[in-house]
């Protein structure tokens, strides 16, 4: 039997979070492929910059379709936070699978190779910076797939925290009273 109960905020956030997570997974595929096809690296960057815009589009759709064009700040904040949380969980699984079974150090080794090439063409302070980046990548290369996944989850949560309040403020809309 199906019930005719309306979907809750959490259910909508889960649906849109799944769409956002799938977008992130498709975007993530461009990262390793972009090392061999540089145009895809640019596309990866552009799609990354599009994430906050997509997030706002999803919140606005939720406001217009499910809330009758009216959404207060707390609802927008909760919806945005939950949507991002569901997306993070989905993409974390994809990150783990990639780094556990597919990568085999490809991303780190490619970045190290590129930095080594750059190192010989720079001097002074820039050379010191490149050496520090090489050292950081060597540390990153020593992480397990699970540690990488948790690092990426923490990074995504941090960025979520940065843009949740502005997104919620932009999406807040109250009906005008006469």
């Amino acid at each position: 039997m199906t019930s005719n109960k309306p979907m809750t905020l959490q259910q909508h956030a889960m649906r849109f979070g799944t769409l956002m997570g799938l977008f992130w997974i498709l975007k993530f595929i461009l990262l390793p492929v972009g090392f061999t096809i540089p145009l895809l690296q640019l596309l990866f960057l552009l799609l990354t910059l599009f994430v906050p815009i997509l997030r706002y589009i999803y919140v606005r759709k939720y406001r217009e379709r499910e809330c009758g064009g009216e959404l207060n700040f707390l609802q927008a904040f909760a919806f945005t936070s939950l949507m991002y949380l569901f997306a993070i969980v989905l993409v974390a699984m994809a990150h783990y699978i990639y780094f556990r079974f597919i990568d085999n150090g490809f991303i780190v080794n490619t970045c190290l190779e590129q930095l080594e090439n750059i190192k010989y063409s720079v001097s002074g302070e820039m050379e010191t910076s490149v050496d520090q980046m090489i050292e950081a990548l060597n540390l990153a290369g020593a992480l397990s797939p699970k540690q990488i996944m948790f690092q990426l989850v923490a990074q995504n949560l941090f960025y979520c925290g940065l843009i949740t309040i502005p997104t919620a403020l932009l999406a807040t809309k109250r009906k005008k009273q006469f």
Side-chain angles (χ1 to χ4, degrees), residues 161-174:
L162 286 178
I163 61 175
T164 296
I165 292 174
T167 305
L169 285 170
L170 286 172
T172 299
K173 187 176 181 183
R174 296 173 191 234

Side-chain angles (χ1 to χ4, degrees), residues 154-167:
Q155 179 181 329
N156 283 332
L157 285 171
F158 174 75
Y159 292 129
C160 168
L162 286 178
I163 61 175
T164 296
I165 292 174
T167 305

Side-chain angles (χ1 to χ4, degrees), residues 4-23:
N4 290 334
K5 286 194 264 183
M7 289 176 62
T8 64
L9 180 139
Q10 181 180 351
Q11 290 169 321
H12 285 290
M14 195 179 303
R15 184 168 39 124
F16 285 113
T18 301
L19 294 173
M20 179 76 76
L22 292 172
F23 175 78

Side-chain angles (χ1 to χ4, degrees), residues 90-130:
L90 185 60
V91 81
M93 291 186 294
H95 284 154
Y96 180 76
I97 291 168
Y98 174 77
F99 287 107
R100 173 74 171 93
F101 299 108
I102 300 169
D103 183 67
N104 295 322
F106 173 75
I107 290 177
V108 170
N109 291 335
T110 305
C111 289
L112 282 171
E113 185 179 300
Q114 290 175 355
L115 284 173
E116 289 292 340
N117 291 337
I118 291 171
K119 184 178 177 180
Y120 298 111
S121 63
V122 297
S123 61
E125 298 272 333
M126 189 64 160
E127 188 174 359
T128 304
S129 295
V130 171

Side-chain angles (χ1 to χ4, degrees), residues 3-77:
S3 64
N4 290 334
K5 286 194 264 183
M7 289 176 62
T8 64
L9 180 139
Q10 181 180 351
Q11 290 169 321
H12 285 290
M14 195 179 303
R15 184 168 39 124
F16 285 113
T18 301
L19 294 173
M20 179 76 76
L22 292 172
F23 175 78
W24 284 356
I25 290 169
L26 293 173
K27 180 179 73 78
F28 178 71
I29 291 169
L30 298 174
L31 180 66
V33 177
F35 285 117
T36 54
I37 305 169
L39 188 60
L40 293 180
Q41 197 78 342
L42 177 63
L43 182 59
F44 170 80
L45 179 63
L46 292 174
L47 290 176
T48 300
L49 294 173
F50 182 69
V51 167
I53 296 165
L54 182 63
R55 180 185 206 186
Y56 174 73
I57 290 168
Y58 285 161
V59 176
R60 196 179 70 207
K61 277 186 181 181
Y62 171 71
R63 179 187 73 204
E64 298 303 321
R65 291 182 184 170
E66 306 304 326
C67 299
E70 186 177 354
L71 190 65
N72 68 40
F73 175 78
L74 287 177
Q75 288 174 312
F77 182 82

